[in-house]
Structures are given as structure tokens and as C-alpha cells.
Amino acid sequence: MQAPVMTRRQLLATMAAAGIGTSLPAFAAGPRKEAGTTAKRAGASIGVALVGLGYYATHLLAPGLQQTKHCHLAGIVTGSPDKIPEWQRRHGIADANVYSYDDFDRIADNPDIQAVYIATPNDLHKPLTLRAAAAGKHVWCEKPMAMNAAEAQDMVDACRKAGVKLTIGYRLQHEPNTRRLMAMAREQPYGRILKVRAEAGFHAYDDVDPANKPWRLLPQHGGGAMYDMGVYSLNAARYTTGQEPVAVAARQEIHRPQLFEGVDETMFFTLEFPGGLVAECATSFGRNMNTLRADCERGWYELSPFQTYDGLEGRTSDGQAFADAVPHQQARQMDDDALAILRGTAPLVPGEEGVRDMRVVDAVYASARDGGRRIVL
Ligand code: NDP
């Protein structure tokens, strides 16, 4: 399968808008892999197969796997045969560890691979998770976890039944500045949180030919801003409050109808939490936004940007500033998930966390479609 990915120009514009560095290497940056892989294999290290060799796998996950201590890149699953030689050459991947989507199930017999990392369009997350679980492999699945809560629950059930761990790629929950906000939700240093604002989005896709849209603009693949960036706002509202929303009211705006047919361009959604706390959330493919803020009884704090790959910046109403560095978010995330497998402990971001978000996503779409307030089921 030849994947319809963003043009380089669109990608650079998107990354710049999202506050992501625009020095995009021709391929994954960094040294060749062989030495690191050998060293890791000598100790306890999880062999990972990347599924879907697109932007995220190429530019973030594969370079991340060059920095991990507890897992290494062992295999690839791709529908694009033309990508295989470069990946094998660069990462020292054996022929036996290369799969297509058709022969992916053979991975069950491969002792080099203990986990698969699914980084495909969103509609493929569930079917590939079920196949990986049936093959006895742990599953690391990108956000949004699935197309809806029912699919997400099926994924959790399948992995539980197969006795494999399922984790969701919410990289920020492994990131130190975000973890500081999660602790503040528990400790409430500025008193009770009264209101949260969580906004994540960027302006992109002006160059897209409406006759040849990328999957992020196609409903059948799980396109639209809510699935893509909206889950950052939603997840952030949940971890910043430390609470689960009980109801949602949502409204969408479309300014480029030729591009956004059956998918949302901008979504505004208000989450109601028990006790009256409210989170005002927004997401967009048409506007740049990257702020997470909590207003409390005795002050406020915020992270802005809060969802970039690095450079998160925190500040508080009494003049504190924080910006804890993490060398590579995805490496931290994958090492955390690998350690959970190696130690047999609960992962930081299990499948159930994705299910909770998908229940809210379902309510957001229902409210935006039909109007009115929706109870989160
Ligand atoms: P891309 O379009 O760049 O890559 C997706 C890859 O999936 C393709 O290159 C292709 O790889 C494979 N694929 C399989 N079937 C299809 C199909 N029908 N159409 C298109 N591609 C197909 O997407 P991204 O890498 O940006 O995103 C992938 C996933 O990762 C998404 O779920 C996204 O939400 C998530 N993501 C998460 C981020 C995070 O920060 N956590 C950041 C960016 C993305 P191949 O040719 O090898 O089969």
C-alpha cells in the first residue's frame, strides 16, 4: 500500500505551527543503530516491531528507540515494500523480522519481537491490536486509541484475554512537566481547582488537493481535529483535574468545507466534572493553540506549550517557572512501557486510560452533531 502522507511542505508547516522543530532530516536523525542494538540485546530488552512506517514512526519512534535502554527496534510491519531496504539498512533489521499487513500474523512465531507499536491511521488501531494480541505480542498503540469507546473496550478485552499488556501512546503522561501538573491535581497547592482551559491545535492543510486528501481529513480513517489533537486537550483536562468528566457540550466550526467533509476542523467542548469544576477545551486543524491552564482558589498555573515534543514551559501566578528537560519523550515513554513488561508491573498509561478518553470523544461527537449536553457514558 502506498500511503498518502503529507507533503514535506505541509509537514514542515504543521510542525512549525505546533511548535515542533522544523529541521526535518531526510530520514530519522542519529547514528546507525547496530552497536546500540547489540548492547541492548545483551541485557534485558524488549524487541519492538514498528507497525506503519509513516511520519511518527520514522521521525520520532525509530530515533527514540536509538536512545532507549530497555527496548530496541527489532522488526517492521509495512504496506510499502519500497520503504523496507532503507529501514533494514539503517536499523539492521533481519529479513525474518520484516512483515506486511498480509503476513503480520506470522509474528506469533518470532521470538525477537515481544511488543508491536501501532502507528497507523486511526481506523487500523483496533484490527491491528486484535491481531497482535492474538499473536501473543504486547501492544503499544498510538492515540486516539480507536474510533469509539466500543472498539477501545474490545481492544482492552482482547489483550486481557491474550495475557498481553496494552498501553496507549500518551507520551505526555511520561513527561516531567506534565507529571508535575498531575501531582498538583492531587496536592492542590493553590487551593481547589475552579476551572481548566486545555487547547491543542494547529493550522494546516491549505495545500491539500480536495481530490486527494490525506487520511487525517477522511472520516473512514478516523480523520478530524478531535481524534488527532482533541485527545490532547481532553486527556490534559482529565490529568490536570485528576477527575473524570460526567457531561460534555460541544460545538464545531468548519471554515474550509472543501477540505472538511464529514470531519471536524475546529471543535470546542466543555467538560463538566463532579462538584462543578469545568474544563473549557478546544482543538483545531485551522488555528494554532497550545495552552493548558488551571485557575484555582488562590492562584493559577499553566503549561504553554504543553503538548510539543520538547520545550514544555510551566509558570505559576506567584512567579515560579519550570521547564524540566527530558532527552526524548518517546524514548522515555517506550522505556517506561518496556520496564512494565520486564517487571510485570502495571503500565503508566494502560488501555483503560484510552477507553476513558474514547467515551468522552463519543459524547463530544454526539453533542456536536445533535446539539445539547451529553452525559459521558
Ligand atoms: P502517517 O500518515 O505519516 O503514517 C501512517 C502510516 O501508516 C503510513 O505511512 C503507512 O505506513 C501506514 N498505513 C497503513 N495503512 C494506511 C492507509 N490506508 N493510509 C495511510 N497510511 C497507512 O501518520 P502519522 O505517523 O503522523 O500518524 C500515525 C499514528 O500516530 C496516528 O494514529 C496518529 O494519531 C499518531 N501520532 C501520534 C503522535 C504523538 O505525539 N503521540 C504524533 C503523530 C502521530 P506503511 O507505508 O509503512 O504501511
Side-chain angles (χ1 to χ4, degrees):
M1 174 194 330
Q2 188 56 48
V5 294
M6 274 184 179
T7 63
R8 183 180 167 86
R9 189 173 157 202
Q10 289 162 349
L11 179 57
L12 290 172
T14 301
M15 293 169 74
I20 300 163
T22 51
S23 57
L24 182 65
F27 196 81
R32 291 191 59 185
K33 168 87 185 191
E34 289 79 354
T37 303
T38 308
K40 281 183 212 166
R41 281 179 184 155
S45 175
I46 297 291
V48 180
L50 290 177
V51 186
L53 309 179
Y55 164 71
Y56 198 56
T58 304
H59 298 291
L60 280 308
L61 299 178
L65 284 163
Q66 290 174 330
Q67 297 188 29
T68 46
K69 294 190 183 71
H70 308 291
C71 53
H72 60 273
L73 180 54
I76 50 176
V77 182
T78 179
S80 304
D82 54 307
K83 295 178 184 174
I84 294 171
E86 176 66 356
W87 276 80
Q88 284 197 279
R89 187 192 67 75
R90 183 166 289 264
H91 299 286
I93 295 168
D95 289 346
N97 294 358
V98 176
Y99 298 89
S100 70
Y101 300 110
D102 292 335
D103 67 7
F104 171 54
D105 308 280
R106 287 196 301 106
I107 208 165
D109 304 321
N110 191 329
D112 291 348
I113 295 165
Q114 288 84 47
V116 302
Y117 196 131
I118 298 170
T120 61
N122 305 330
D123 59 313
L124 297 177
H125 292 181
K126 175 187 166 181
L128 289 166
T129 294
L130 298 197
R131 289 171 69 184
K137 304 301 175 185
H138 301 286
V139 182
W140 300 347
C141 180
E142 258 316 314
K143 46 57 55 180
M145 179 175 176
M147 302 286 276
N148 53 51
E151 281 195 7
Q153 188 60 51
D154 287 347
M155 294 159 69
V156 168
D157 294 344
C159 289
R160 187 175 297 140
K161 191 171 162 211
V164 297
K165 286 193 196 300
L166 170 60
T167 63
I168 309 303
Y170 284 122
R171 57 186 160 79
L172 294 171
Q173 291 204 30
H174 301 257
E175 191 276 337
N177 301 288
T178 305
R179 294 200 69 73
R180 187 189 289 231
L181 249 66
M182 295 166 91
M184 288 165 97
R186 293 189 296 273
E187 293 155 11
Q188 309 213 331
Y190 296 88
R192 205 159 52 87
I193 302 173
L194 304 175
K195 187 176 175 185
V196 165
R197 184 159 62 88
E199 301 178 344
F202 51 80
H203 182 95
Y205 302 116
D206 281 340
D207 296 343
V208 165
D209 172 3
N212 188 25
K213 294 178 187 172
W215 67 264
R216 277 187 173 82
L217 301 184
L218 295 171
Q220 65 271 28
H221 290 302
M226 185 64 214
Y227 278 133
D228 193 57
M229 298 298 286
V231 292
Y232 286 106
S233 308
L234 163 56
N235 202 250
R238 288 182 48 242
Y239 60 64
T240 302
T241 60
Q243 297 183 31
E244 296 303 329
V246 291
V248 172
R251 173 177 68 82
Q252 66 165 319
E253 273 180 12
I254 293 181
H255 291 282
R256 292 172 291 176
Q258 72 284 9
L259 293 181
F260 293 89
E261 294 174 300
V263 297
D264 51 301
E265 182 177 14
T266 298
M267 187 77 82
F268 300 97
F269 54 104
T270 303
L271 304 177
E272 290 174 36
F273 293 87
L277 169 54
V278 163
E280 297 289 355
C281 303
T283 188
S284 184
F285 280 160
R287 301 184 194 183
N288 297 327
M289 43 175 92
N290 202 336
T291 294
L292 173 59
R293 176 177 164 120
D295 285 296
C296 313
E297 287 171 313
R298 295 190 300 276
W300 56 263
Y301 50 91
E302 69 176 14
L303 271 182
S304 184
F306 83 96
Q307 72 80 42
T308 37
Y309 295 140
D310 57 26
L312 279 75
E313 286 182 22
R315 53 196 77 81
T316 68
S317 52
D318 53 355
Q320 296 180 56
F322 52 95
D324 296 328
V326 57
H328 197 286
Q329 286 180 11
Q330 289 80 5
R332 166 80 59 95
Q333 169 201 328
M334 291 188 282
D335 262 346
D336 284 347
D337 289 347
L339 277 175
I341 293 171
L342 290 166
R343 293 173 175 165
T345 53
L348 215 49
V349 189
E352 287 81 357
E353 172 73 358
V355 175
R356 286 185 206 109
D357 270 358
M358 293 316 301
R359 285 194 193 120
V360 184
V361 170
D362 286 351
V364 165
Y365 279 127
S367 172
R369 186 184 61 234
D370 303 334
R373 178 175 173 268
R374 285 286 173 147
I375 301 297
V376 177
L377 299 174

